[in-house]
Amino acid sequence: QVQLVESGGGLVQAGGSLRLSCAASGRTFSIWTMGWFRQAPGKGREFVAGIRWSDGWTNVADSVKGRFTITRDNAENKLYLQMNNLKPEDTDVYYCEKRLGTIHTDDRDYNYWGQGTQVTVSS
């Protein structure tokens, strides 16, 4: 099985920064992708960013491009999301997710996810 544990969420003022972390353990695959999604109450999960673990190729949503950066630490099996210049509309629960294969932007294509971490940006 795969376990994903997110951390780093919190309350921040608009224009501030947060760094989310995701610790991954359990089963690994030859080719896999990890990604960040976010979800507001009553809405579906929105793709934020993804990284292909083997070569570090990334895909970042247009809504956060230039403000958010996704990185990984192979040795520690950790995923990060550096979020800068945060806006109130970035307020959501953020989920770390994992899938076999390359980056997909549809949450339904992911097999594993964590419990989520709340990010709240005040205006």
Side-chain angles (χ1 to χ4, degrees), residues 6-14 16-21 81 83 86-88 90-94 116-122:
E6 303 97 335
S7 61
L11 173 63
V12 64
Q13 288 188 331
S17 298
L18 282 174
R19 188 193 195 204
L20 304 184
S21 300
L81 184 69
M83 305 186 294
L86 282 159
K87 304 176 181 180
D90 295 318
T91 296
D92 272 325
V93 178
Y94 284 71
T117 185
Q118 176 70 49
V119 171
T120 303
V121 185
S122 63

Side-chain angles (χ1 to χ4, degrees), residues 56-98:
W57 182 74
T58 63
N59 185 7
V60 181
D62 289 341
S63 59
V64 303
K65 196 167 290 183
R67 300 188 297 122
F68 291 11
T69 304
I70 185 170
T71 58
R72 77 203 191 294
D73 184 326
N74 281 354
E76 296 290 328
N77 249 356
K78 285 188 174 179
L79 178 72
Y80 301 100
L81 184 69
Q82 178 66 44
M83 305 186 294
N84 298 328
N85 191 21
L86 282 159
K87 304 176 181 180
E89 52 263 41
D90 295 318
T91 296
D92 272 325
V93 178
Y94 284 71
Y95 294 89
C96 167
E97 305 200 5
K98 183 174 181 177

